Amino acid sequence: MNYYEIYDRFSEKCSKIITNLYTTSFSIGIFLLDRKIRKDIYSIYGFVRLADEIVDTFHDKDKHKLLYEFKEQTYRAINEKFSLNPILNSFQKTVNKYKIDTELIEAFFKSMEMDLYISDYSKDILKNYIYGSAEVVGLMCLTVFTNGDSKLYYELKEHAIKLGSAFQKINFLRDIRYDNFILKRRYFNKLDLKTLDEKELKTIIDDIQDELKFALRGIQKLPKEAKLGVFVAYLYYYSLLKK
């Protein structure tokens, strides 16, 4: 094993560590994926997690500057097929290996930027935000799952989009108090915690359930290497929605 291979293995382990530290649900789901694709999904989640931390956690830092630099480093890593940032090195390997569409990455960064200057999300703005923050992540993972099978990718694309959207909306409901009072963001701008509108809440939950139902049909068609892991993540989020 040469030194580049050792560094690549180190990079992959860093992405795995971030995933396991930050999320229980995805850690379990990824662990149940086939070993040959597991590290690629870790690399995608590690990348996404770092960007999330910039906009959600480092309140005493210049977030705009940090996100801009992270974005520049990401594209440089992809183009040069290397980065001294182990998380980006791991991510670029997956992007280049599966030829993940850079439009998905660009949409993701646009949504991260939205969190820096938008505090009250209208319905239309929220739709664009969810596409970039969650749906494209599902599409990146689907690119790995289908591994060059473009016919299967496009057959399952809408299902992956709905699953990503449902997961994100469930996260919004789970974190609504923190988002509202700490981050000063309202993703569901018609849902006021002080005067809870049960009708509006039911509308949101019904919408999520419809998305989950549609997504499940796609999960059933996934390659066997991915099906169990994604289904377990689905079950976790479904139970979280019920809670």
Side-chain angles (χ1 to χ4, degrees):
M1 183 182 297
N2 62 42
Y3 288 115
Y4 271 105
E5 290 172 331
I6 293 172
Y7 180 66
D8 286 342
R9 286 186 62 183
F10 165 72
S11 299
E12 291 162 2
K13 286 183 181 293
C14 287
S15 295
K16 180 179 179 180
I17 288 170
I18 281 185
T19 304
N20 291 338
L21 279 174
Y22 277 97
T23 174
T24 301
S25 56
F26 282 117
S27 294
I28 296 171
I30 295 173
F31 180 75
L32 294 173
L33 298 173
D34 189 275
R35 186 182 297 272
K36 66 184 179 183
I37 60 173
R38 204 179 295 161
K39 63 183 180 181
D40 296 303
I41 304 304
Y42 279 135
S43 79
I44 292 171
Y45 187 86
F47 162 75
V48 169
R49 187 67 255 169
L50 274 192
D52 275 341
E53 286 304 291
I54 291 172
V55 300
D56 287 350
T57 302
F58 306 138
H59 305 307
D60 59 337
K61 307 296 181 184
D62 186 339
K63 295 182 180 182
H64 291 84
K65 182 173 182 287
L66 286 175
L67 187 62
Y68 173 80
E69 290 175 346
F70 186 65
K71 181 178 178 180
E72 291 292 302
Q73 291 165 8
T74 298
Y75 287 124
R76 189 180 309 121
I78 294 169
N79 291 332
E80 296 178 0
K81 298 183 178 181
F82 174 78
S83 177
L84 279 175
N85 179 325
I87 302 301
L88 290 182
N89 189 59
S90 175
F91 181 64
Q92 68 79 18
K93 283 183 66 66
T94 296
V95 171
N96 285 308
K97 177 181 178 181
Y98 293 95
K99 297 180 174 57
I100 291 176
D101 192 342
T102 54
E103 184 276 331
L104 301 178
I105 301 169
E106 184 62 26
F108 172 74
F109 275 116
K110 285 181 179 178
S111 285
M112 294 300 98
E113 290 164 3
M114 290 168 72
D115 269 337
L116 296 179
Y117 63 86
I118 297 177
S119 57
D120 211 345
Y121 285 76
S122 67
K123 188 174 181 180
D124 289 338
I125 294 175
L126 182 63
K127 182 179 179 180
N128 290 329
Y129 176 82
I130 290 175
Y131 172 73
S133 65
E135 293 173 11
V136 300
V137 179
L139 293 177
M140 290 183 206
C141 293
L142 183 62
T143 304
V144 174
F145 297 154
T146 55
N147 192 21
D149 187 339
S150 58
K151 181 180 178 181
L152 183 60
Y153 176 87
Y154 285 106
E155 180 183 352
L156 299 181
K157 181 178 179 180
E158 287 302 315
H159 297 280
I161 284 173
K162 293 299 184 184
L163 187 63
S165 175
F167 282 3
Q168 183 68 296
K169 290 173 184 175
I170 293 169
N171 284 340
F172 290 156
L173 290 176
R174 180 195 63 194
D175 301 333
I176 192 167
R177 184 171 296 278
Y178 182 81
D179 289 339
N180 280 199
F181 297 121
I182 304 300
L183 297 180
K184 307 299 182 183
R185 296 184 201 138
R186 290 208 310 169
Y187 293 110
F188 298 123
N189 69 341
K190 291 184 178 180
L191 199 60
D192 192 331
L193 286 180
K194 295 177 181 178
T195 56
L196 187 61
D197 186 333
E198 294 290 348
K199 183 179 179 181
E200 182 62 28
L201 181 59
K202 184 178 184 304
T203 299
I204 293 169
I205 291 175
D206 287 346
D207 174 57
I208 295 171
Q209 289 177 330
D210 287 342
E211 289 182 329
L212 287 174
K213 185 177 179 180
F214 181 78
L216 182 59
R217 298 204 295 270
I219 293 173
Q220 294 167 343
K221 298 178 182 179
L222 281 170
K224 63 180 182 179
E225 294 85 358
K227 188 180 297 184
L228 179 59
V230 178
F231 182 59
V232 167
Y234 168 93
L235 290 177
Y236 173 83
Y237 270 88
Y238 187 78
S239 65
L240 189 59
L241 176 64
K242 289 173 67 177
K243 180 179 179 181

